[in-house]
Amino acid sequence: AWGFSFWVLFQNLLIFVDGKFIDVIVGRLKSTEALGFYVVAADIGASPIREIIILTSRALFPGFSKLASDPESLAHSFTRIQSGIAIIAFSVSAGIALVAEDLTYFLLGEKWISITPLIQILALSEGTFALSHPMFTMMSALGRVRLAAFLTLIRILLMAIIIIPIALTADL
């Protein structure tokens, strides 16, 4: 049986792979120009949401750890936190998606307007994915890092099933 530290290391390695996976796929299957478009679109579309949620998740760990022995309080707190994160993540992601064209024009200029749909997709997908961050933080606080690692691995595999065919056929 592998210990807690191994699963923390494995989970962190999977998080790193998850963060770079699409970059590698796009870089391998498309041109460097397509990779550049994707990276810039991800910075504009996903980074604002990611930064907010990551900071929030880091702050949640001590609270979840403290509530680990009181499942009722933990469930209540988790539900309230999840509701707040949903409001913030969906608002920010919808806002970015709605103003993506103007935002792109303002930040990057007219030659980058073609990445607007990609910014919209990435903003909305990051807003949805943001809901999982508190769950993973809670699993870690409860010592369920092995489960979190397996769920992250499943996410990577599902992303491969979705992203590889898109990268092979889509025109970025």
Side-chain angles (χ1 to χ4, degrees), residues 17-30 34-35 38 42 50 118 121-122 125-126 154-172:
V17 169
D18 186 40
K20 300 297 179 189
F21 178 72
I22 297 176
D23 294 358
V24 171
I25 297 299
V26 173
R28 286 286 195 191
L29 300 178
K30 294 295 184 185
L35 178 59
Y38 174 80
R50 193 175 297 137
L118 189 55
I121 291 167
L122 291 170
S125 67
E126 189 66 32
I154 290 169
R155 173 183 153 73
I156 293 169
L157 294 174
L158 289 173
M159 290 298 290
I161 292 168
I162 294 168
I163 295 300
I164 292 172
I166 291 172
L168 286 170
T169 59
D171 188 28
L172 289 176

Side-chain angles (χ1 to χ4, degrees), residues 48-152:
I49 301 149
R50 193 175 297 137
E51 293 302 319
I52 293 168
I53 300 308
I54 288 173
L55 289 174
T56 305
S57 294
R58 285 184 186 148
L60 294 175
F61 187 86
F64 285 155
S65 295
K66 188 175 182 178
L67 294 173
S69 62
D70 185 0
E72 190 175 311
S73 294
L74 179 63
H76 178 72
S77 294
F78 179 78
T79 303
R80 289 183 56 175
I81 290 164
Q82 194 73 345
S83 298
I85 286 177
I87 290 168
I88 293 167
F90 290 155
S91 298
V92 172
S93 66
I96 292 169
L98 289 171
V99 301
E101 187 171 347
D102 294 333
L103 189 61
T104 304
Y105 185 80
F106 177 75
L107 292 176
L108 303 171
E110 191 173 342
K111 77 175 195 167
W112 289 88
I113 291 298
S114 64
I115 68 169
T116 300
L118 189 55
I119 291 171
Q120 292 169 323
I121 291 167
L122 291 170
L124 294 173
S125 67
E126 189 66 32
T128 303
F129 180 63
L131 294 177
S132 68
H133 281 277
M135 179 188 66
F136 283 102
T137 302
M138 184 173 67
M139 281 191 264
S140 295
L142 296 175
R144 306 288 313 261
V145 183
R146 183 177 177 182
L147 176 60
F150 280 121
L151 291 174
T152 303

